[in-house]
Every structure is written in structure tokens, then in C-alpha cells.
Amino acid sequence: MTTRLYEHAIFLEHQTPEGHPERADRLRSLNIALQHPNFEKLDRKEAPQANEDAVLLAHPEEHLRAVIRDIPEEDGIRQIEADTYVGPKSLQAALTGIGGAMAAVDDVITGKADNAFVAARPPGHHAEKDKVMGFCLFNNAAIAARHAQRRHGIERVAIVDWDVHHGNGTQDIFWDDPSVLFCSTHQMPLYPGTGAKDETGTKNNVVNAPLSPDTGSEHFREAFKARVLPALENFRPDFIVISAGFDAHHRDPLAQINLVGNDFDWATGRVMEIAGKYAGNRVVSLLEGGYDLEGLAESAGMHIMRLMRG
């Protein structure tokens, strides 16, 4: 198996205030973990920067223009939403995250890689059609799914989101679209307050599996087996995108779900089994949350290792 990792130094230059959980050290901690000999065969590439037009795959032009207007021209950090901040390099970082996601889709569909992981920030799954939210400017997973469909003719894309926070943005973008299945496990109640089981989309293409606070591996795996995997089997996706957040780890400060690294390894394996049955093994994974540095490094490392093992 060839697993390609897309990364770029620009991701470290997206600035947030001192003490903000979504910080550059997240990627630094992952990079330290990837120095281990187990990752010698990981095919590491520099992510390309997407054109601004790529944003329009999932967002209206006014949303793009609003984000561009919010970027400060000189040094300094600007708060543009309750939890969301931008600095002078934030647009470039966000576009490079999109570029990495689109390149990963291209590589996996054309056979240049078996699967791919994009280690980018800012994350994306809270960005709604026309709204920045929850550290996110643009929805990388939604753009990746749309790119697979528009550029490569992929018919059915499944997005599996196991970030501990519900991917409200992805749900919003695909609410009326039966060609995209969105499946999410997440803590509830928790930010952003969406993700109840009865939120199913107008085409029954949204599957939410909320988890109660202070639960752990058993409940997570039960929800995955009871709700996510049957939905994937029924949908028979041609391509799978993972919104890979690692903030359901027991060390994470922003939530109360007590997963361990093995849980992410297990979930990755289950998604890859579905991809093997229906999607020609085609999986692209995009980093979302994960705010304890040790927990993120452990969990993302095990996730990438499982992608590499096939």
C-alpha cells in the first residue's frame, strides 16, 4: 500500500491567540510522531495551493469574499466569529489545505496513491455553506467530495466524520444531496449543538450517531457498528472521505469521550473494509480536530499506520 501524506509549512502560519486550542503545535506534535521508523514508507508531499475558485465547489462566492475581506493585511490576529480567528497567512493556509485535499483525491482516483492523509489546518467541518464557525473557514471535506464528483465523475461519495464535535457544516452543505452520505459520531450535548439522530437530511442521506458524555470505546464502537457501518453498506459509496478528528481521545480538553488510539485504528479499519467492498479501496482522510498534543499524535499516528497497512 502507498499512503501519501500532504503537508506544508504554511499550515504553521495560520495564527490563533495564545492559549487557543487550535494551534500550530498540533501539527508539530504529529510531525514528531511521524519521525518514527514505522513511517519510513509514508510518501510525504508538499500540498499545493488551490485557486480561490475551488472554494466555490462548496460555498457561494459571497462567503469566499467575506473571508478574504476579514484577512488582516499586516501582523495581527483578527477574531471573525466566536471561536474563529485569522491572521495574514490564514487564507493561504486554508487554500493550501483545500489544495492538499483535492490533490489527495486526484492521486487516489488516478492510482498514484492507494489512500492519503492531509495534515492541514485550519480544519473545515464546521464551515457551513455561508458561515465560518468553530475554527473553520472553508469545508475541506465537502470540497474534496465535490471535486471527486465534478472532476472525476464519481457518483456516490460517503463522508465519515468521527470528530468529537458534530460536523454541522458538512451536514448543512449536503442536507439535500442524495449523492453524498454524511455519517457522524460525536458527543452530544456539545458544541455546536447539532447532530441529533432525527437530523437525517431531506433524502435520508445524513446519519448521526450521538454519544453521551463520559462514555468510551464500547459505546463508540457500538454506535459505529449499529448506525454508521449499515448506512455505508446500504449506500455503497464509490469514494470515501474521512473527517478525521481525534478530539474524542480521553486526554482531549474540549470533550468528555474517552477513546484511545486503538479505537481510531479500529474505525479506520472498518471504513477501509467498506472501501474495499465498494469503492476500490479509495479513501482520503483529512485532519479535523484533536487538541491534546499527545492524544493527537498517538491517535493520528495509529490512523495513518492503519492506512499504510491496508
Side-chain angles (χ1 to χ4, degrees):
M1 294 291 288
T2 300
T3 295
R4 183 162 284 182
L5 173 84
Y6 274 107
E7 56 193 345
H8 199 291
I10 192 65
F11 299 137
L12 302 176
E13 297 190 55
H14 166 59
Q15 295 172 275
T16 53
E18 188 74 28
H20 195 281
E22 205 297 284
R23 59 207 191 277
D25 283 346
R26 300 175 62 233
L27 294 186
R28 294 189 182 103
S29 67
L30 176 57
N31 192 52
I32 290 168
L34 296 178
Q35 304 306 315
H36 191 280
N38 285 345
F39 298 99
E40 279 180 354
K41 293 186 177 178
L42 187 61
D43 182 20
R44 301 175 72 159
K45 299 285 187 185
E46 189 171 85
Q49 183 175 325
N51 294 325
E52 291 177 2
D53 285 354
V55 173
L56 307 183
L57 287 168
H59 302 280
E61 185 161 7
E62 178 49 37
H63 177 74
L64 169 63
R65 296 296 154 212
V67 172
I68 291 172
R69 285 195 299 270
D70 283 334
I71 301 295
E73 292 183 10
E74 299 175 4
D75 285 350
I77 302 170
R78 180 175 294 167
Q79 183 178 13
I80 62 171
E81 187 264 345
D83 305 300
T84 309
Y85 296 81
V86 290
K89 297 293 183 69
S90 295
L91 178 64
Q92 189 179 345
L95 291 174
T96 305
I98 292 169
M102 293 170 69
V105 169
D106 294 341
D107 291 344
V108 171
I109 291 176
T110 61
K112 292 178 183 173
D114 293 298
N115 52 52
F117 182 78
V118 184
R121 57 182 292 274
H125 75 148
H126 291 309
E128 297 185 346
K129 281 179 193 171
D130 55 5
K131 188 177 182 182
V132 300
M133 271 185 76
F135 317 157
C136 305
L137 306 180
F138 307 122
N139 197 305
N140 302 331
I143 292 168
R146 280 277 181 259
H147 180 65
Q149 292 178 321
R150 303 274 172 83
R151 174 75 182 271
H152 298 283
I154 297 293
E155 292 184 18
R156 295 181 308 282
V157 180
I159 300 175
V160 179
D161 186 336
W162 60 58
D163 191 283
V164 82
H165 302 94
H166 180 242
N168 60 293
T170 314
Q171 176 172 291
D172 174 63
I173 289 166
F174 295 115
W175 186 255
D176 299 315
D177 187 346
S179 74
V180 177
L181 174 71
F182 175 64
C183 299
S184 176
T185 62
H186 48 274
Q187 181 177 322
M188 194 173 188
L190 191 66
Y191 181 91
T194 52
K197 283 184 179 180
D198 63 2
E199 295 171 24
T200 58
T202 60
K203 312 291 185 182
N204 286 318
N205 60 309
V206 171
V207 177
N208 286 307
L211 307 170
S212 298
D214 298 313
T215 53
S217 302
E218 183 179 351
H219 287 88
F220 169 73
R221 296 189 189 207
E222 283 177 1
F224 215 81
K225 289 188 281 191
R227 293 186 64 78
V228 175
L229 296 179
L232 290 168
E233 287 277 1
N234 186 57
F235 186 68
R236 295 173 168 245
D238 302 310
F239 192 84
I240 299 178
V241 177
I242 300 174
S243 269
F246 300 102
D247 39 7
H249 191 278
H250 68 94
R251 292 180 56 95
D252 203 274
L254 297 192
Q256 296 80 42
I257 300 295
N258 298 306
L259 302 191
V260 296
N262 280 329
D263 293 313
F264 298 103
D265 172 87
W266 175 85
T268 307
R270 301 294 76 74
V271 171
M272 292 178 75
E273 287 171 4
I274 298 289
K277 288 175 73 172
Y278 304 114
N281 294 304
R282 298 182 297 198
V283 175
V284 164
S285 179
L286 311 177
L287 179 64
E288 298 283 3
Y291 305 105
D292 177 81
L293 302 183
E294 185 179 320
L296 171 63
E298 176 200 7
S299 303
M302 295 185 78
H303 170 61
I304 294 167
M305 184 57 59
R306 175 54 75 106
L307 290 174
M308 293 173 69
R309 288 207 310 270

